[in-house]
Coordinates of all heavy atoms in Angstrom, one line a residue:
M1 N -16.7 11.4 32.6 CA -17.1 12.0 31.3 C -18.6 11.6 31.1 O -18.9 10.4 31.2 CB -16.2 11.5 30.2 CG -16.5 12.2 28.9 SD -15.5 11.7 27.5 CE -14.0 11.3 28.1
D2 N -19.4 12.6 30.8 CA -20.8 12.3 30.6 C -21.1 11.7 29.2 O -20.2 11.7 28.3 CB -21.6 13.6 30.7 CG -21.6 14.2 32.1 OD1 -21.5 13.3 33.0 OD2 -21.8 15.4 32.3
E3 N -22.3 11.2 29.1 CA -22.6 10.5 27.8 C -22.6 11.5 26.6 O -22.2 11.2 25.5 CB -24.0 9.9 27.9 CG -24.5 9.2 26.7 CD -23.6 7.9 26.4 OE1 -23.1 7.4 27.3 OE2 -23.6 7.6 25.2
W4 N -23.1 12.8 26.9 CA -23.2 13.8 25.8 C -21.7 14.2 25.4 O -21.5 14.5 24.2 CB -24.0 15.0 26.2 CG -23.4 15.8 27.4 CD1 -23.6 15.6 28.7 CD2 -22.5 16.9 27.3 NE1 -22.9 16.5 29.4 CE2 -22.2 17.3 28.6 CE3 -21.9 17.5 26.2 CZ2 -21.4 18.3 28.9 CZ3 -21.1 18.6 26.5 CH2 -20.8 19.0 27.8
E5 N -20.8 14.1 26.3 CA -19.4 14.5 25.9 C -18.8 13.4 25.0 O -18.1 13.7 24.1 CB -18.5 14.6 27.2 CG -18.8 15.9 28.0 CD -18.0 15.9 29.3 OE1 -17.8 14.9 29.9 OE2 -17.7 17.1 29.6
R6 N -19.1 12.1 25.3 CA -18.7 11.0 24.4 C -19.3 11.2 23.0 O -18.6 11.0 22.0 CB -19.1 9.7 25.0 CG -18.3 9.3 26.2 CD -18.6 7.9 26.7 NE -18.1 7.7 28.0 CZ -18.7 7.2 29.0 NH1 -20.0 6.8 28.8 NH2 -18.2 7.0 30.2
L7 N -20.6 11.5 23.0 CA -21.3 11.6 21.7 C -20.6 12.8 20.9 O -20.4 12.7 19.7 CB -22.8 11.9 21.9 CG -23.6 10.6 22.3 CD1 -25.0 11.0 22.6 CD2 -23.5 9.6 21.2
E8 N -20.4 13.9 21.6 CA -19.8 15.0 21.0 C -18.4 14.7 20.4 O -18.1 15.1 19.3 CB -19.7 16.2 21.9 CG -19.2 17.5 21.3 CD -19.2 18.6 22.3 OE1 -19.6 18.5 23.5 OE2 -18.7 19.7 21.9
R9 N -17.6 14.0 21.2 CA -16.3 13.6 20.7 C -16.4 12.7 19.5 O -15.6 12.8 18.6 CB -15.5 12.9 21.9 CG -14.1 12.5 21.5 CD -13.4 12.0 22.7 NE -13.0 13.1 23.6 CZ -12.4 12.9 24.7 NH1 -12.0 11.7 25.1 NH2 -12.1 14.0 25.4
R10 N -17.3 11.7 19.6 CA -17.5 10.8 18.4 C -17.9 11.6 17.2 O -17.4 11.3 16.1 CB -18.6 9.8 18.7 CG -18.1 8.7 19.7 CD -19.2 7.7 19.9 NE -18.9 6.8 21.0 CZ -19.8 6.1 21.7 NH1 -21.1 6.2 21.4 NH2 -19.4 5.4 22.7
W11 N -18.8 12.5 17.3 CA -19.2 13.3 16.1 C -18.1 14.1 15.5 O -17.9 14.3 14.3 CB -20.4 14.2 16.5 CG -21.7 13.5 16.4 CD1 -22.5 13.1 17.4 CD2 -22.3 13.0 15.2 NE1 -23.6 12.4 16.9 CE2 -23.5 12.3 15.6 CE3 -22.0 13.0 13.8 CZ2 -24.3 11.7 14.6 CZ3 -22.8 12.4 12.9 CH2 -24.0 11.8 13.3
K12 N -17.2 14.7 16.4 CA -16.1 15.4 16.0 C -15.1 14.5 15.2 O -14.6 14.9 14.1 CB -15.3 16.1 17.1 CG -16.0 17.3 17.7 CD -15.2 17.9 18.8 CE -15.9 19.1 19.3 NZ -15.1 19.8 20.4
I13 N -14.9 13.3 15.7 CA -14.0 12.3 15.0 C -14.6 11.9 13.7 O -13.9 11.9 12.6 CB -13.8 11.1 15.9 CG1 -12.9 11.5 17.1 CG2 -13.1 10.0 15.1 CD1 -12.8 10.4 18.2
V14 N -15.9 11.6 13.6 CA -16.6 11.3 12.4 C -16.5 12.4 11.4 O -16.2 12.1 10.2 CB -18.0 10.8 12.7 CG1 -18.8 10.7 11.4 CG2 -18.1 9.5 13.4
C15 N -16.7 13.6 11.8 CA -16.7 14.8 10.9 C -15.3 14.9 10.3 O -15.1 15.2 9.1 CB -17.1 16.0 11.6 SG -18.9 16.1 11.9
R16 N -14.2 14.8 11.1 CA -12.9 14.9 10.6 C -12.5 13.8 9.6 O -11.9 14.0 8.6 CB -11.9 14.9 11.8 CG -11.9 16.2 12.5 CD -10.8 16.2 13.6 NE -10.9 17.5 14.3 CZ -10.2 17.8 15.4 NH1 -9.4 16.9 15.8 NH2 -10.4 19.0 16.0
V17 N -12.9 12.6 10.0 CA -12.6 11.4 9.1 C -13.3 11.6 7.7 O -12.7 11.4 6.7 CB -13.0 10.1 9.7 CG1 -13.0 9.0 8.7 CG2 -12.1 9.8 10.9
V18 N -14.6 12.0 7.8 CA -15.3 12.2 6.5 C -14.8 13.4 5.8 O -14.6 13.3 4.5 CB -16.8 12.5 6.9 CG1 -17.6 13.0 5.6 CG2 -17.5 11.2 7.4
G19 N -14.3 14.5 6.5 CA -13.7 15.6 5.8 C -12.4 15.3 5.1 O -12.2 15.7 3.9
V20 N -11.6 14.5 5.7 CA -10.3 14.0 5.1 C -10.6 13.1 3.9 O -10.0 13.3 2.9 CB -9.4 13.3 6.2 CG1 -8.3 12.6 5.5 CG2 -9.0 14.3 7.2
A21 N -11.6 12.2 4.0 CA -11.9 11.3 2.9 C -12.5 12.1 1.7 O -12.1 11.9 0.6 CB -13.0 10.3 3.4
V22 N -13.4 13.1 2.0 CA -13.9 13.9 0.9 C -12.8 14.7 0.3 O -12.7 14.8 -1.0 CB -15.0 14.8 1.4 CG1 -15.4 15.9 0.4 CG2 -16.2 14.0 1.8
G23 N -11.9 15.3 1.1 CA -10.8 16.1 0.5 C -9.9 15.2 -0.3 O -9.4 15.7 -1.4
A24 N -9.6 14.0 0.1 CA -8.8 13.1 -0.7 C -9.4 12.7 -2.0 O -8.7 12.7 -3.1 CB -8.5 11.8 0.1
V25 N -10.7 12.5 -2.0 CA -11.4 12.2 -3.2 C -11.4 13.4 -4.2 O -11.2 13.2 -5.4 CB -12.9 11.7 -2.9 CG1 -13.7 11.7 -4.2 CG2 -12.9 10.4 -2.2
V26 N -11.6 14.5 -3.7 CA -11.6 15.7 -4.5 C -10.3 16.0 -5.1 O -10.1 16.3 -6.3 CB -12.1 17.0 -3.7 CG1 -11.8 18.3 -4.5 CG2 -13.6 16.9 -3.4
L27 N -9.2 15.8 -4.3 CA -7.8 15.9 -4.8 C -7.5 14.9 -5.9 O -6.9 15.2 -6.9 CB -6.8 15.8 -3.7 CG -5.4 16.0 -4.0 CD1 -5.1 17.4 -4.6 CD2 -4.5 15.8 -2.8
F28 N -8.0 13.7 -5.7 CA -7.8 12.6 -6.7 C -8.5 12.9 -8.0 O -7.9 12.8 -9.0 CB -8.3 11.3 -6.1 CG -8.2 10.1 -7.1 CD1 -7.0 9.5 -7.4 CD2 -9.4 9.7 -7.7 CE1 -7.0 8.5 -8.3 CE2 -9.3 8.6 -8.6 CZ -8.1 8.0 -8.9
L29 N -9.7 13.4 -7.9 CA -10.5 13.7 -9.1 C -9.8 14.9 -9.8 O -9.8 14.9 -11.0 CB -11.9 14.0 -8.7 CG -12.7 12.8 -8.3 CD1 -14.1 13.2 -7.8 CD2 -12.8 11.7 -9.4
L30 N -9.4 15.9 -9.1 CA -8.7 17.0 -9.7 C -7.4 16.6 -10.4 O -7.2 17.0 -11.6 CB -8.4 18.1 -8.6 CG -7.7 19.3 -9.1 CD1 -8.6 20.1 -10.0 CD2 -7.2 20.2 -7.9
L31 N -6.6 15.7 -9.8 CA -5.4 15.3 -10.4 C -5.7 14.4 -11.7 O -5.0 14.5 -12.7 CB -4.6 14.5 -9.5 CG -3.9 15.3 -8.4 CD1 -3.2 14.4 -7.4 CD2 -3.0 16.3 -8.9
M32 N -6.8 13.6 -11.6 CA -7.2 12.8 -12.8 C -7.7 13.7 -13.9 O -7.3 13.5 -15.1 CB -8.3 11.9 -12.4 CG -7.9 10.7 -11.5 SD -6.8 9.6 -12.3 CE -7.9 8.9 -13.5
F33 N -8.4 14.8 -13.6 CA -8.8 15.7 -14.6 C -7.6 16.4 -15.3 O -7.6 16.5 -16.5 CB -9.7 16.8 -13.9 CG -10.2 17.9 -14.9 CD1 -11.2 17.6 -15.8 CD2 -9.6 19.1 -14.9 CE1 -11.6 18.6 -16.6 CE2 -9.9 20.1 -15.7 CZ -11.0 19.9 -16.6
V34 N -6.7 16.8 -14.5 CA -5.5 17.5 -15.0 C -4.7 16.5 -15.9 O -4.2 16.9 -17.0 CB -4.6 18.1 -13.9 CG1 -3.3 18.6 -14.4 CG2 -5.4 19.2 -13.2
A35 N -4.5 15.3 -15.4 CA -3.8 14.3 -16.2 C -4.5 14.0 -17.5 O -3.8 13.8 -18.5 CB -3.6 13.0 -15.4
R36 N -5.8 13.9 -17.5 CA -6.5 13.5 -18.7 C -6.5 14.7 -19.7 O -6.4 14.4 -20.9 CB -8.0 13.2 -18.3 CG -8.8 12.8 -19.5 CD -10.1 12.3 -19.1 NE -10.0 11.1 -18.4 CZ -10.8 10.6 -17.5 NH1 -11.9 11.3 -17.2 NH2 -10.6 9.5 -16.9
H37 N -6.5 15.9 -19.3 CA -6.6 17.0 -20.2 C -5.2 17.6 -20.6 O -5.2 18.5 -21.4 CB -7.5 18.1 -19.6 CG -8.9 17.7 -19.6 ND1 -9.7 17.6 -20.8 CD2 -9.7 17.3 -18.6 CE1 -10.9 17.2 -20.5 NE2 -11.0 17.0 -19.2
S38 N -4.2 17.1 -20.0 CA -2.8 17.6 -20.3 C -2.3 16.9 -21.5 O -1.3 17.2 -22.1 CB -1.9 17.5 -19.2 OG -1.6 16.1 -18.9
G39 N -3.0 15.8 -22.0 CA -2.5 15.1 -23.1 C -1.4 14.2 -22.8 O -0.7 13.7 -23.8
G40 N -1.0 14.0 -21.6 CA 0.1 13.2 -21.2 C 1.5 13.8 -21.6 O 2.5 13.1 -21.6
K41 N 1.5 15.1 -21.9 CA 2.7 15.8 -22.2 C 3.4 16.3 -21.0 O 2.7 16.8 -20.1 CB 2.4 16.9 -23.2 CG 1.8 16.4 -24.5 CD 1.5 17.6 -25.4 CE 0.8 17.1 -26.7 NZ 0.3 18.2 -27.5
A42 N 4.7 16.3 -20.9 CA 5.4 16.8 -19.8 C 5.3 18.3 -19.9 O 5.5 18.9 -20.9 CB 6.8 16.3 -19.8
Q43 N 5.1 18.9 -18.7 CA 4.9 20.4 -18.7 C 6.2 21.1 -18.3 O 6.4 22.3 -18.7 CB 3.8 20.7 -17.6 CG 2.5 20.1 -18.0 CD 1.9 20.6 -19.2 OE1 2.1 21.8 -19.6 NE2 1.3 19.7 -20.0
D44 N 7.1 20.5 -17.6 CA 8.3 21.3 -17.1 C 9.5 20.5 -17.6 O 9.5 19.4 -17.9 CB 8.3 21.5 -15.6 CG 8.2 20.3 -14.8 OD1 7.7 19.2 -15.4 OD2 8.6 20.3 -13.7
Q45 N 10.7 21.2 -17.5 CA 11.9 20.6 -18.0 C 12.3 19.4 -17.2 O 12.8 18.4 -17.7 CB 13.1 21.6 -17.8 CG 13.1 22.7 -18.9 CD 13.3 22.1 -20.3 OE1 12.3 21.9 -21.0 NE2 14.5 21.7 -20.6
F46 N 12.1 19.4 -15.9 CA 12.4 18.2 -15.0 C 11.6 17.0 -15.5 O 12.2 15.9 -15.7 CB 12.1 18.5 -13.6 CG 12.4 17.4 -12.6 CD1 13.7 17.1 -12.3 CD2 11.4 16.6 -12.1 CE1 14.0 16.0 -11.5 CE2 11.7 15.5 -11.3 CZ 13.0 15.3 -11.0
S47 N 10.3 17.1 -15.8 CA 9.5 16.0 -16.3 C 10.0 15.5 -17.6 O 10.0 14.3 -17.9 CB 8.1 16.4 -16.3 OG 7.6 16.7 -15.1
I48 N 10.4 16.5 -18.5 CA 10.9 16.1 -19.8 C 12.1 15.3 -19.7 O 12.3 14.3 -20.4 CB 11.1 17.4 -20.7 CG1 9.7 18.1 -21.0 CG2 11.8 17.0 -22.0 CD1 9.9 19.4 -21.6
I49 N 13.1 15.7 -18.9 CA 14.3 15.0 -18.7 C 14.1 13.6 -18.1 O 14.6 12.6 -18.6 CB 15.3 15.8 -17.8 CG1 15.7 17.1 -18.6 CG2 16.5 15.0 -17.4 CD1 16.5 18.1 -17.8
C50 N 13.2 13.6 -17.1 CA 12.9 12.3 -16.5 C 12.3 11.3 -17.5 O 12.6 10.1 -17.5 CB 12.0 12.4 -15.3 SG 12.9 13.2 -13.9
E51 N 11.4 11.8 -18.3 CA 10.7 11.0 -19.3 C 11.7 10.5 -20.3 O 11.6 9.3 -20.7 CB 9.6 11.8 -19.9 CG 8.7 11.0 -20.9 CD 7.6 11.8 -21.5 OE1 7.1 12.7 -20.8 OE2 7.3 11.6 -22.6
R52 N 12.6 11.4 -20.7 CA 13.6 11.0 -21.7 C 14.5 9.9 -21.1 O 14.8 8.9 -21.8 CB 14.4 12.2 -22.1 CG 15.3 12.0 -23.3 CD 16.0 13.2 -23.7 NE 15.1 14.3 -24.1 CZ 15.4 15.5 -24.0 NH1 16.5 16.0 -23.5 NH2 14.5 16.4 -24.3
M53 N 14.9 10.1 -19.9 CA 15.8 9.1 -19.3 C 15.1 7.7 -19.1 O 15.7 6.7 -19.3 CB 16.3 9.6 -17.9 CG 17.3 10.7 -18.0 SD 17.8 11.4 -16.4 CE 18.7 10.0 -15.8
M54 N 13.8 7.8 -18.7 CA 13.1 6.5 -18.6 C 12.9 5.8 -19.9 O 13.0 4.6 -20.0 CB 11.7 6.8 -17.9 CG 11.8 7.1 -16.5 SD 10.3 7.6 -15.7 CE 9.1 6.6 -16.5
H55 N 12.7 6.6 -20.9 CA 12.5 6.1 -22.3 C 13.8 5.4 -22.8 O 13.8 4.4 -23.4 CB 12.0 7.2 -23.2 CG 11.5 6.7 -24.5 ND1 10.2 6.1 -24.6 CD2 12.1 6.6 -25.7 CE1 10.1 5.7 -25.9 NE2 11.2 6.0 -26.6
E56 N 14.9 6.1 -22.6 CA 16.2 5.6 -23.0 C 16.6 4.4 -22.1 O 17.2 3.4 -22.7 CB 17.3 6.7 -22.9 CG 17.2 7.7 -23.9 CD 18.2 8.9 -23.7 OE1 19.0 8.8 -22.7 OE2 18.2 9.8 -24.5
G57 N 16.2 4.3 -20.9 CA 16.5 3.2 -20.0 C 15.7 2.0 -20.4 O 16.2 0.9 -20.2
G58 N 14.6 2.2 -21.0 CA 13.7 1.0 -21.4 C 14.3 0.3 -22.6 O 14.1 -0.8 -22.8
R59 N 15.1 1.1 -23.5 CA 15.6 0.5 -24.7 C 16.8 -0.4 -24.3 O 17.0 -1.4 -25.1 CB 16.1 1.6 -25.6 CG 14.9 2.2 -26.3 CD 15.3 3.1 -27.4 NE 15.6 4.5 -26.8 CZ 16.0 5.5 -27.5 NH1 16.2 5.3 -28.8 NH2 16.2 6.6 -27.0
G60 N 17.5 -0.1 -23.3 CA 18.6 -0.9 -22.8 C 19.7 -1.3 -23.8 O 20.5 -0.5 -24.2
G61 N 19.6 -2.5 -24.3 CA 20.7 -3.0 -25.2 C 20.4 -2.9 -26.7 O 21.0 -3.6 -27.5
E62 N 19.6 -2.0 -27.1 CA 19.3 -1.8 -28.5 C 20.4 -1.2 -29.3 O 20.5 -1.4 -30.5 CB 18.0 -1.0 -28.7 CG 16.7 -1.7 -28.4 CD 15.5 -0.9 -28.8 OE1 15.6 0.1 -29.6 OE2 14.4 -1.2 -28.2
R63 N 21.2 -0.4 -28.6 CA 22.3 0.3 -29.3 C 23.3 -0.6 -29.8 O 23.8 -1.5 -29.4 CB 22.9 1.4 -28.4 CG 21.9 2.4 -28.1 CD 22.5 3.5 -27.2 NE 21.5 4.5 -26.9 CZ 21.7 5.5 -26.2 NH1 22.9 5.8 -25.7 NH2 20.8 6.4 -25.9

């Protein structure tokens, strides 16, 4: 394998790693934006039920 082939392979690896990292950061920021602007309210029935069950489970022996 020639030197230029090694360099080309390294650049491809670096580009992929940077691309995945940038994609992960963008996805994280998008999810943070949605979480911040949704007001913390559950949007679908499954989330509402899960939130209710977690809330009731936290009270435990109050009843």
